[in-house]
């Protein structure tokens, strides 16, 4: 669970808000042990338009389900957060609280257990016009929120958490917003949807900002059970939609490899303009699509200042406008395993963003806040120029000097330089980079392909860099693949495979197929995942290369993109997981597709070994 902090600082930083109606005079109705009303629905039944209902917190109200028919009500938890447990009951066979009145505001409640006969129960079933939810925790319902179509209604959700909602049928979700006028979803955390989507909205206008979309890896403790969501964000009918400053993770175990989907059911809403700006995308699945834009959408999406971490197609829309994005299989974050996604030193991220300007309707696209786990949000501290991604760098990194780039190689050649540098690979302002010492092949094999079908070049930074290190403090597990996928990582790691609390572990270098064939089956009948240890496994070193002998007579000498060096003449194999090509080599060879004449294990991180 998250704790809440005052957020008055953020009130002035929102990108978009919708005005509510306030009552000139209102009665306050008190609910709880020893109060006038024992349960919330007793107060709701007698409330008049504009009244305030205060519910004593740290108390569970079981089976308290009802319809809310009055307008301009405010319902809030006080002295702690009250828990509303459906306990097998429902109002009108629709959910816990069925909202028929207009302009309801609900603040500081926890609601769970909504189940109905048709499998579509919701903590909140919205049937009125305009709704505001703050500081709430909705979990383990068939739907967290289910909003009926109402093109006059504006919905605002902020500082709230949604977890493990969904019946498991793919038709129920953490949030399902029907065709309303607008949805603003900000400073919130939605995770572990049970097969459905973490957020689905058919609103004409969507403002999705400064929030986190993710899942808890199997076996880790979270505020709810782990889930396997489909889309993290689904906007099936398009609409004018802003996705700004979010952390958006595709978990290793999921039900759909697409992370954000836009217009897949047709661009039928008012507006078809999508703005994806300053987000940090994390793809732990190892495949899929970051931003799917349907061919039915006529307007090019703006995709600017985002970090795309992991393997996958950036977008399906060929006409999308891509500016100042950073792609890498494993970007540098302060503490990826513990969700500190502030950037580490990278000239391609820090002070490297460009001004996104305004939308076609005049809304500023500049991020002014960033997600914070314990408070759901904070002002974005731009010290110099805007950074790429959802977070600004902190400390001395925030004031890093301007970096210049020296072109060192065309694609397919070798980039050479002195010392350790950040090397970028790409074209037309779209790059990925790595920290490298002395030289590197300038290829998509080494860097990934940031811009498909365009001739690329390599350049090195004017400032020296520090090669990344791994500390041996406290090991943690980093999700890397769902069952049947490929788990990729750097160096040699302990990899675990399983589900719940049942795992088997083995040690691998570079990558491994996440399957029963490789590991055996530690959790029969369950969908399993792979995670690798944050700590590297110590290996012996010869002439600066990692060398690990295997039982079949092969000695590992380099991971893909490196150089395999040895003395004398040896047969060298290149590939992964039983798929190899080989050459007889004297002295050394680049461990790349180019050097070996092809890719023996497509989309897998390969390595070299000599016999």
């Amino acid at each position: 669970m998250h704790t809440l902090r005052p957020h008055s600082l953020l009130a002035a930083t929102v990108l978009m808000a919708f005005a509510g109606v306030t009552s000139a005079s209102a009665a306050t109705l008190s609910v709880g042990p020893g109060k006038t009303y024992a349960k919330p629905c007793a107060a709701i039944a007698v409330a008049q338009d504009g009244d305030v209902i205060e519910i004593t917190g740290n108390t569970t109200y079981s089976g308290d389900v009802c319809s809310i028919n009055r307008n301009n009500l405010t319902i809030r938890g006080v002295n702690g957060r009250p828990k509303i447990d459906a306990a097998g009951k429902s109002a009108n066979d629709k959910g816990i609280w069925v909202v028929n009145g207009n302009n309801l505001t609900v603040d500081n409640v926890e609601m769970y257990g909504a189940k109905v006969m048709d499998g579509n129960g919701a903590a909140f079933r919205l049937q009125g016009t305009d709704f505001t939810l703050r500081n709430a925790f909705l979990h383990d319902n068939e739907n967290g929120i289910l909003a009926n179509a109402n093109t006059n209604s504006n919905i605002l959700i902020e500082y709230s958490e949604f977890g493990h909602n969904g019946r498991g049928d793919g038709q129920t979700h953490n949030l399902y917003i029907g065709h309303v006028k607008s949805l603003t979803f900000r400073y919130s955390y939605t995770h572990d949807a049970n097969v459905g989507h973490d957020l689905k909205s058919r609103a004409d206008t969507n403002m999705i900002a400064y929030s986190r979309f993710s899942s808890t890896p199997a076996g880790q403790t979270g505020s709810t059970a782990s889930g396997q969501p489909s889309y993290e964000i689904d906007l099936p009918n398009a609409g004018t939609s802003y996705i700004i400053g979010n952390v958006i993770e595709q978990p290793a175990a999921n039900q759909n490899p697409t992370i954000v989907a836009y217009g897949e059911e047709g661009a039928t809403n008012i507006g078809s303009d999508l703005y994806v700006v300053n987000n940090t995308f994390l793809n732990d699945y190892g495949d899929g699509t970051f931003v799917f834009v349907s061919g039915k959408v006529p307007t090019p999406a703006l995709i600017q200042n985002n970090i795309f971490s992991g393997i996958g197609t950036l977008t399906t829309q060929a006409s999308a406008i891509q500016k100042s994005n950073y792609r890498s299989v494993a970007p540098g974050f302060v503490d990826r395993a513990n969700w500190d996604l502030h950037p580490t030193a990278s000239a391609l991220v820090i002070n490297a963003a460009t001004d996104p300007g305004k939308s076609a309707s005049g809304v500023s696209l500049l991020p002014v806040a960033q997600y914070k786990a314990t408070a759901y949000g904070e002002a974005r501290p731009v010290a110099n120029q805007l950074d790429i991604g959802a977070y600004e760098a902190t400390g001395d990194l925030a004031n890093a000097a301007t970096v210049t780039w020296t072109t060192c190689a065309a694609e397919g050649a070798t980039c050479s330089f002195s010392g350790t540098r950040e090397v970028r690979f790409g074209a037309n302002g779209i790059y990925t980079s790595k920290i490298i010492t002395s030289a590197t092949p300038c290829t998509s094999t080494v860097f990934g392909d940031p811009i498909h079908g365009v001739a690329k070049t390599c350049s090195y930074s004017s400032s020296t860099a520090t090669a990344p290190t791994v500390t041996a403090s406290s090991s943690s597990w980093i999700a890397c693949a769902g069952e049947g996928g490929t788990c990729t990582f750097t160096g040699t790691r302990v990899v675990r495979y399983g589900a719940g609390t049942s795992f088997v572990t083995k040690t691998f270098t570079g990558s491994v197929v996440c399957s029963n064939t490789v590991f055996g089956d530690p959790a029969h009948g369950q969908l399993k995942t792979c995670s690798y240890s944050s700590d590297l496994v110590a290996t012996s070193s010869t002439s600066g290369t990692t060398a690990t002998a295997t039982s079949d007579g092969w000695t590992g000498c380099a991971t893909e993109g490196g150089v395999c060096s040895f003395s004398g003449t040896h047969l060298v194999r290149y590939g992964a997981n039983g798929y190899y090509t080989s050459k007889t080599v004297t002295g050394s060879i680049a461990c790349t597709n180019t050097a070996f004449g092809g890719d023996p294990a497509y989309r897998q991180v390969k390595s070299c070994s000599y016999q």
Side-chain angles (χ1 to χ4, degrees), residues 3 12 56 92 118 153 155 166 339-340 354 360 379 393 459 488 512 554 567 584 603:
T3 56
T56 300
N92 303 326
D118 66 3
S153 184
I155 295 174
W339 291 94
D340 186 345
T354 52
S459 306
T488 60
V512 62
W554 293 93
S567 60
T584 300
R603 294 191 76 93

Side-chain angles (χ1 to χ4, degrees), residues 168-206:
D169 57 2
Q171 306 299 313
T172 47
H173 315 282
N174 272 352
L175 298 97
Y176 187 178
I177 308 300
H179 187 193
V180 300
K181 184 177 182 180
S182 68
L183 167 69
T184 297
F185 182 87
R186 62 193 181 200
Y187 313 122
S188 293
Y189 176 31
T190 176
H191 60 96
D192 293 293
N194 184 22
V195 180
H197 308 314
D198 279 334
L199 171 60
K200 180 172 183 174
S201 174
R202 300 182 185 275
D204 279 327
T205 299
N206 296 283

Side-chain angles (χ1 to χ4, degrees), residues 10 40 54 69 117 124 127 140 206 208 238 290 308 321 331 341 446 451 489 511 542:
L10 296 174
E54 292 188 339
N69 301 313
M117 289 183 63
F124 286 99
Q127 302 182 156
D140 296 289
N206 296 283
I208 302 168
F290 289 98
F308 293 98
I321 300 166
L341 301 179
V446 175
I451 178 169
F489 43 87
S511 69
T542 305

